[in-house]
Amino acid sequence: MPEDEKETTEQQRLEKEQLEDLGTVWRTRGPHAIHCLTVIGQIEGHVEAPQGQKTTKYEHVIPQLVAVQEDPAVEGLLVLINTVGGDVEAGLALAELIASISKPSATVVLGGGHSIGIPLAVSALRGLCFFVPTATMTVHPVRHSGMILGVPQTMRWFEQMQERITGFVAGHSGITAERYSELMLRTGELVMDVGTMLDGKKAVKEKLIDQLGGISDALEWLYREIERTE
C-alpha cells in the first residue's frame, strides 16, 4: 500500500475512534478548520453516572478545549448541546474553559440545555449562542441527590453555588441576575419543582440566548468571524 494511502487510512481510523470514544470531530473539512465538541446526556463529574446513561465526561472535554486553544490549525470552536444537566462543578468548570477560549466560538442548543447546561450554552465569550426553535431550557435552583447535613452551613453552601451559577449566566448573556433568580424560583410552572421552562422564543426574549438558529447559522457566523479576524 502506498505511503499516502496508509496515512489516509490511519487518519480515518483515528477519526472514527475519536468520534466513538469522545463524540467529537477534529478539524472539520469546511472553508475553515472548526473543532466540533458535543455535550450530550448527563454531564459526569467526580462521580460516575449509573450504567446505561449517556454522559459527557468532563475529563474527556478538558484536554480537547486545551488543544483547541493551543493548536494553531484549529480556527474556531462549535459546541453542540443536548444535556439534561448533571454535576454542577464539572459543568461550571467546562463553561469557564469555553469562555476562556480566545478563538471564535459558537454554541447550538439542540433538544435541551437544562440546568447546568445553561452556563454551557451562554459560555461562548467570543461568539454567539444559537437555539433551535423546538429546544428547551429548564431554569431551577441547585439540587442535590443523597445525604446532606441539616445545618446552616449546608444551606449557605447551596446559596454560594447558586450565586456562582447565576453570576456566570448573567455575566455571559443579556439577562440580569435578578431576573434569572426570579425565573429560577418561580412556582406553579413545573410539577413538584420550582423553576421555569423556556422554549427558543422565550429564551431569546429573556436575553439568555442570542438568537434562534441551527448548525448552518452557527458555522456561517464562525466563518465570517474567522475571516474578519485574519
Side-chain angles (χ1 to χ4, degrees):
M1 181 182 294
E3 192 64 30
D4 56 344
E5 289 187 15
K6 288 182 180 180
E7 291 180 0
T8 300
T9 302
E10 178 65 15
Q11 182 178 354
Q12 290 174 343
R13 183 186 67 80
L14 291 173
E15 289 177 352
K16 182 175 181 293
E17 288 181 357
Q18 189 172 48
L19 182 61
E20 292 176 347
D21 296 340
L22 304 178
T24 184
V25 177
W26 191 257
R27 298 181 192 172
T28 56
R29 293 181 175 84
H32 297 281
I34 306 296
H35 179 68
C36 177
L37 172 69
T38 59
V39 178
I40 61 171
Q42 181 175 326
I43 299 169
E44 189 178 271
H46 305 295
V47 179
E48 288 189 356
Q51 189 175 4
Q53 289 192 11
K54 290 282 188 180
T55 62
T56 296
K57 299 178 183 294
Y58 86 131
E59 68 268 27
H60 290 173
V61 177
I62 289 173
Q64 291 183 60
L65 293 173
V66 174
V68 168
Q69 178 64 33
E70 286 291 296
D71 191 343
V74 177
E75 299 175 85
L77 173 66
L78 174 65
V79 184
L80 303 180
I81 300 170
N82 189 0
T83 179
V84 296
D87 188 291
V88 173
E89 288 196 339
L92 196 56
L94 295 181
E96 290 282 12
L97 273 174
I98 294 171
S100 67
I101 297 292
S102 64
K103 299 176 182 181
S105 55
T107 62
V108 181
V109 179
L110 307 162
H114 306 294
S115 190
I116 198 61
I118 297 175
L120 286 164
V122 303
S123 61
L125 192 60
R126 282 204 58 202
L128 289 181
C129 177
F130 296 87
F131 205 89
V132 299
T134 57
T136 56
M137 281 181 164
T138 305
V139 185
H140 63 71
V142 171
R143 294 180 294 197
H144 186 275
S145 60
M147 185 181 296
I148 62 171
L149 294 175
V151 295
Q153 292 90 331
T154 301
M155 299 302 105
R156 181 53 187 154
W157 181 88
F158 277 110
E159 290 177 1
Q160 290 174 331
M161 179 60 72
Q162 191 60 64
E163 288 168 2
R164 289 165 61 192
I165 296 171
T166 301
F168 183 91
V169 172
H172 291 78
S173 68
I175 197 169
T176 64
E178 292 75 17
R179 179 56 177 166
Y180 189 79
S181 296
E182 181 183 334
L183 294 174
M184 179 181 66
L185 299 174
R186 179 178 290 175
T187 59
E189 182 166 332
L190 301 179
V191 178
M192 298 179 66
D193 201 355
V194 296
T196 304
M197 178 79 76
L198 301 173
D199 60 16
K201 291 182 179 179
K202 290 179 181 178
V204 173
K205 184 178 179 181
E206 294 288 351
K207 298 181 181 179
L208 256 177
I209 303 302
D210 294 305
Q211 64 186 69
L212 295 178
I215 294 177
S216 60
D217 302 290
L219 286 173
E220 183 180 349
W221 183 89
L222 281 170
Y223 293 159
R224 288 201 308 267
E225 188 67 12
I226 290 168
E227 291 164 4
R228 186 183 69 82
T229 56
E230 284 179 345

